[in-house]
Amino acid sequence: MAEVDGQEKTEQPTSKKLSDARKKGQVAKSMEINSLAVFGSGLIMIYLTRSYFGNKFFELANDTFSRLNTLKINSDMVQEYFLKWALFFFAITAPILLAVFVFSFLSNVAQVGFKFSPEVFQPKLSKFNFVKNAKDILFSTRSLVETLKSLAKLAVISIFTYYILTDLVEKSMELVQLTIEETVSFMLDAAISLIWKIVLLFGVIAGADMIFQRFKFKQDMMMTKEEVKEELKQTEGDPVVKQRIRKEMFKISSKRMMKDVPTADVVVTNPTHFAVALKYDMTKDAAPKVVAKGMDELAQRIKKIAKENNVPLHEDIQLARTLYKACDVGDEIPAKLFKAVAQILAYIYQMKRIKKRKSIV
C-alpha cells in the first residue's frame, strides 16, 4: 500500500481529485492503444487500397524501366523524376497518414473522453529543471517500468517478426521468375501478412497494458484519511467551524422565537417533549401561523415564557407532535389541521370573553 508522509493511502479517490487530475492531463491512458491504432489503421488502409497501390507501383516501375536504355542523366531528368517520386510518395502515403491521424485521435477519445486541458500546455518553470527532470527520467520507478516494458515488447515483437520474415525470405527466392505485377502483388501480400500478425500481437499487448495503466492510475489516485479531511474542509468548509456557525444561528433563531411567544394565542404541548406556539390574525392571515416551536428543553422554555405572559397552554399529544414535524417557524398550518386548531382557538377565544365579562361585572 502506498504511503504519503507515513500515512497509508487507504481511501478511494474523491470525484474532486479525479476531476483535478483530469484537468492536469493525468488520466489512465495506454500508449500501446495508440500504437495499436496506428498499426491497425495502416493495415486497414493498405488492405482497402491495395489495388490502387499496386497500380501506382506498376505505373512508376514500368515508366522507369522502359526508359532505362534511352535515359540521359542531366538536371532536367533529375528534376522530372524527383517530382514524379514526390507525387508518387504523397499519393500512396496520404490515405494512410490521414487514417493514422483519425484513428489515433479516436483511440485517445475512446480511452479518456474528449476534454481539452489548457493546464497541460501552460509553461512551468519546473519543466526547465534539467537536473530534476533527468533524475525522474533515469531513476524513477515509472521510467524503469516503462523501459522494461519497452524492452520486453521489443523482444517479443522481434522474435515474432523473425519467424514471419524467415518464411517470407524463403518464398521471395521465387521472385526472379515473376513479372513486375506479380512481384508488386507479392510484396503487398507479404506486407499485409506481416502487419496484421503484428497488429494482433499489439492488440494483446495493448489490452494487458490498458489493464495495468488503469490499475496503476487507481493506486496513484488513492488518498490518505488526512487528504480526504483536508479536501472536505476546502470544498465544504471546516466541520468544526460549520458546527459553531449552526449553534450561533440556532441561538439567534431561538432568541427571536422567544420574543414572539408572548404574542401567541395558544401553545400546544404534548405535554413534556413538544411545544408549538400558534398565532392567528383574522384580518391578514389565511390560517394560523407557527411563531415558535421546540423540543425537550426548548419546549419547556417556551411553556415557561407562555405562562409568564398569560398565553394559554393546551395539551394535545398527537396534535403537538404533528405540528412540530409538519411546520417550521413562520409557516401556516396545513389544511388537514385546520379543524383541530380551529376548535382549540375557538375554545381559547370563548374563555377570554368569559373572563373579560367577569372582570367587567
Side-chain angles (χ1 to χ4, degrees), residues 32-33 35-36 197-209:
E32 306 304 332
I33 297 292
S35 299
L36 176 63
K197 290 176 182 177
I198 293 178
V199 166
L200 288 179
L201 181 61
F202 257 104
V204 176
I205 295 174
D209 185 64

Side-chain angles (χ1 to χ4, degrees), residues 15-156:
S15 57
K16 181 180 182 302
K17 181 166 185 177
L18 294 175
S19 177
D20 291 343
R22 184 178 178 84
K23 289 178 182 178
K24 296 176 183 178
Q26 299 174 1
V27 290
K29 186 173 72 171
S30 171
M31 296 306 296
E32 306 304 332
I33 297 292
N34 294 343
S35 299
L36 176 63
V38 171
F39 275 98
S41 58
L43 171 66
I44 292 172
M45 289 307 299
I46 290 175
Y47 180 78
L48 294 177
T49 58
R50 61 189 184 280
S51 298
Y52 169 76
F53 289 163
N55 292 333
K56 287 293 183 181
F57 272 116
F58 174 73
E59 289 174 6
L60 185 64
N62 189 50
D63 178 68
T64 302
F65 292 131
S66 64
R67 297 172 61 181
L68 284 178
N69 294 331
T70 60
L71 192 65
K72 295 182 180 181
I73 299 177
N74 52 48
S75 60
D76 292 337
M77 183 275 298
V78 172
Q79 291 179 4
E80 178 186 352
Y81 273 86
F82 177 80
L83 180 60
K84 284 185 177 182
W85 277 99
L87 293 174
F88 169 77
F89 179 78
F90 177 79
I92 65 173
T93 58
I96 298 177
L97 293 177
L98 179 61
V100 166
F101 174 78
V102 172
F103 277 83
S104 296
F105 175 77
L106 293 177
S107 69
N108 279 286
V109 173
Q111 289 186 79
V112 299
F114 184 78
K115 182 175 177 63
F116 179 71
S117 300
E119 290 188 26
V120 177
F121 302 98
Q122 291 180 357
K124 296 181 180 178
L125 293 177
S126 59
K127 293 181 179 180
F128 299 96
N129 189 337
F130 298 106
V131 176
K132 182 178 181 301
N133 292 339
K135 182 179 178 181
D136 292 340
I137 293 172
L138 298 175
F139 303 106
S140 67
T141 304
R142 182 181 182 85
S143 63
L144 178 61
V145 171
E146 290 298 323
T147 301
L148 293 175
K149 187 176 69 176
S150 297
L151 291 174
K153 183 176 67 175
L154 179 61
V156 171

